[in-house]
Amino acid sequence: MASNRTSAFTIASLALLTGLAPAGAARADATLTVATVNNGDMVVMQKLSSEFEKQHPDIHLRWVVLEENVLRQRVTTDIATKAGQFDIVTIGNYEVPIWAKQGWLAPFTDLPASYDTNDLLKPVRDALTYEGKLYGLPFYAESAMTYYRTDLFEKAGIKMPDHPTYTQIREFADKITDKSHQIYGMCLRGKPGWGENMAYVTSLVDTFGGQWFDMGWHAKLDTPEWKKAVTYYDDILKQDGPPGATSNGFNENLALFAGGHCGMWIDATVAAGLLYDKKQSQVSDKVGFAPMPVGDYAGGPTWLWSWNLGIPVSSKQKAAAESFVAWATSKDYLKLVASQNGWVAVPPGTRQSTYDSPDYKQVAPFAGFVLDAINTANPTGSTKEPRPYLGAQFVAIPEFQGIGTQVGQTIAATLTGQMTVDAALKAAQSATDRAVKQAGYQK
């Protein structure tokens, strides 16, 4: 948990500075409890929030910074029970429309014109909109891509294709793995969780022609497509991955790659700014990138994720909370990060103005690639066979948090040798079918 900061804020001055409060608003202190994930960009937000406090000298910010799986459990429990522990929560585009429909989130209806919602990239904005209203503001957004070490590829005499296949990726991983020097040809998420290992595994299953459910909501996990995808995942991590893969999520793999231990890594585009930042990455001048590989089926749903700031309806400080969320997701905040840490470090994927900036383009060779990946992301695309749900790396139903995490634990057991792939998929099939049947999806 992060240390607390205190200072002060008046609703009256907020009205003058942001236009969020009506004229004649009463003076009042506000204490905001902010729950966020321990990703690098959010840690920077916490550090820079003192600038917000200077502008609003009667606000108190209390920070709760948690590992991703723990954050999701704490926030989901709090918001579903309306306990009111948090005034601002960090949530994904998975939760926003589901929770808005449940009436758990407050809409953003008083944003000042200077916030410029039209500058938000349309796929990102649309994913946070329910019945015409925004229920989350994006802090950063991402698609997914393949990162690789250009020096290792050159040494091995291989070249990354413009559009790699998973067959090629496996061959490359075998060639550049050098375990005696702690260089692993492939790093992938192995930590169990619906938003950790299953985000990657689901995208892998999609491109191998599989899916979670058929049109009757019957689970489709014990199928040849899932077996091929999970066997690939299991084999490449055992043969070419780092030890202890089941402990590695996004942050751990980021640290491994930045420290020179990964030859390739397939994950979120948000990592690009961190890997190209010489302050944070030992291999900043040796990073190449390519699209996500494809398997047997091309053209399926594609990864789109955003970490967003939302306000629970249970918050007693909604006006103050909206003011902070607007500040932390604004153009001015991005400029503040750039002034402190350089343009390569700004939270990516949310605003067209970032990608129009000559300063950003100069230091971010991946900028155009990432912008195109987000603008063309298609989480509503078709799997090989028809499906009744939306989402590329998740299933957009409330029950998926529990289902995905349980299946993620089962898949992780194949990496540790506790279960075979066949046994894991049989168990996952049974558990998933039981969950959706109990929830009333199957007729």
Side-chain angles (χ1 to χ4, degrees):
M1 184 175 296
S3 60
N4 295 344
R5 291 196 188 92
T6 58
S7 58
F9 165 93
T10 64
I11 298 296
S13 63
L14 175 63
L16 295 174
L17 287 168
T18 67
L20 293 178
R27 182 184 180 93
D29 286 346
T31 299
L32 303 178
T33 301
V34 185
T36 195
V37 67
N38 65 342
N39 289 356
D41 287 302
M42 282 71 171
V43 173
V44 171
M45 173 178 64
Q46 183 193 359
K47 291 178 180 176
L48 295 182
S49 64
S50 59
E51 295 297 321
F52 173 82
E53 294 174 329
K54 289 176 186 176
Q55 296 171 21
H56 309 88
D58 287 337
I59 201 163
H60 305 265
L61 292 177
R62 182 181 298 121
W63 290 87
V64 180
V65 183
L66 300 167
E67 184 270 331
E68 186 169 322
N69 287 336
V70 178
L71 173 83
R72 286 178 165 136
Q73 290 175 344
R74 288 273 301 274
V75 168
T76 301
T77 300
D78 182 78
I79 201 163
T81 59
K82 295 184 171 62
Q85 183 180 358
F86 305 120
D87 298 289
I88 297 167
V89 292
T90 305
I91 51 180
N93 53 309
Y94 162 78
E95 289 97 346
V96 171
I98 292 173
W99 291 4
K101 184 178 181 179
Q102 296 283 350
W104 294 348
L105 295 172
F108 290 90
T109 55
D110 294 313
L111 294 169
S114 60
Y115 185 78
D116 193 5
T117 55
N118 288 330
D119 186 48
L120 299 175
L121 298 179
K122 189 176 185 300
V124 177
R125 187 175 71 240
D126 288 350
L128 307 178
T129 300
Y130 177 72
E131 293 187 343
K133 295 178 181 178
L134 276 169
Y135 282 85
L137 297 184
F139 186 73
Y140 73 70
E142 63 192 32
S143 186
M145 62 199 290
T146 303
Y147 302 98
Y148 67 97
R149 284 273 299 279
T150 55
D151 57 328
L152 298 180
F153 269 59
E154 185 177 346
K155 181 180 177 182
I158 53 181
K159 186 177 185 299
M160 178 67 75
D162 291 339
H163 299 281
T165 66
Y166 269 109
T167 299
Q168 292 170 321
I169 290 295
R170 179 60 201 268
E171 293 170 357
F172 298 157
D174 289 344
K175 289 181 179 178
I176 61 178
T177 295
D178 183 358
K179 293 185 178 180
S180 65
H181 291 90
Q182 295 185 318
I183 294 175
Y184 306 98
M186 177 56 72
C187 292
L188 294 169
R189 299 185 190 192
K191 181 184 290 186
W194 71 267
E196 283 282 10
N197 64 341
M198 293 315 297
Y200 174 73
V201 170
T202 298
S203 69
L204 186 65
V205 167
D206 289 342
T207 197
F208 275 92
Q211 62 203 78
W212 277 86
F213 302 101
D214 65 17
M215 291 301 291
W217 286 99
H218 299 101
K220 299 287 288 180
L221 282 71
D222 196 7
T223 59
E225 293 81 8
W226 270 80
K227 182 175 181 179
K228 187 171 184 179
V230 175
T231 299
Y232 182 98
Y233 170 78
D234 189 62
D235 286 349
I236 198 170
L237 277 177
K238 285 180 177 175
Q239 189 70 31
D240 298 311
T246 55
S247 297
N248 298 337
F250 172 82
N251 281 333
E252 292 79 11
N253 282 316
L254 174 64
L256 283 168
F257 197 108
H261 298 293
C262 298
M264 289 184 290
W265 178 32
I266 303 168
D267 213 301
T269 57
V270 69
L274 305 168
L275 294 178
Y276 276 85
D277 184 354
K278 60 184 67 175
K279 297 176 186 175
Q280 304 184 63
S281 173
Q282 297 176 26
V283 294
S284 60
D285 59 341
K286 303 178 181 67
V287 183
F289 57 87
M292 281 192 83
V294 295
D296 300 330
Y297 176 67
T302 49
W303 186 305
L304 178 66
W305 180 258
S306 58
W307 276 118
N308 316 281
L309 300 179
I311 302 172
V313 294
S314 53
S315 171
K316 304 285 194 298
Q317 310 285 354
K318 291 187 181 67
E322 184 163 317
S323 124
F324 177 77
V325 173
W327 174 84
T329 60
S330 67
K331 295 178 187 178
D332 285 342
Y333 175 79
L334 296 174
K335 292 175 183 175
L336 175 62
V337 175
S339 70
Q340 298 288 320
N341 300 327
W343 271 99
V344 74
V346 302
T350 60
R351 290 185 171 273
Q352 182 64 45
S353 54
T354 299
Y355 293 90
D356 291 340
S357 167
D359 293 323
Y360 187 63
K361 292 177 182 178
Q362 186 175 351
V363 297
F366 50 83
F369 178 94
V370 171
L371 178 64
D372 183 62
I374 291 173
N375 277 334
T376 58
N378 185 20
T380 64
S382 299
T383 46
K384 186 176 181 181
E385 300 296 330
R387 61 175 183 160
Y389 61 91
L390 301 178
Q393 76 278 20
F394 57 80
V395 177
I397 58 174
E399 294 79 10
F400 187 68
Q401 289 197 53
I403 292 170
T405 295
Q406 184 172 5
V407 174
Q409 292 166 345
T410 305
I411 297 299
T414 69
L415 297 177
T416 59
Q418 295 173 287
M419 297 182 79
T420 64
V421 170
D422 284 340
L425 292 179
K426 185 176 181 180
Q429 169 81 13
S430 177
T432 302
D433 245 344
R434 184 167 57 250
V436 292
K437 188 173 184 179
Q438 290 174 347
Y441 287 86
Q442 294 181 8
K443 305 301 181 187

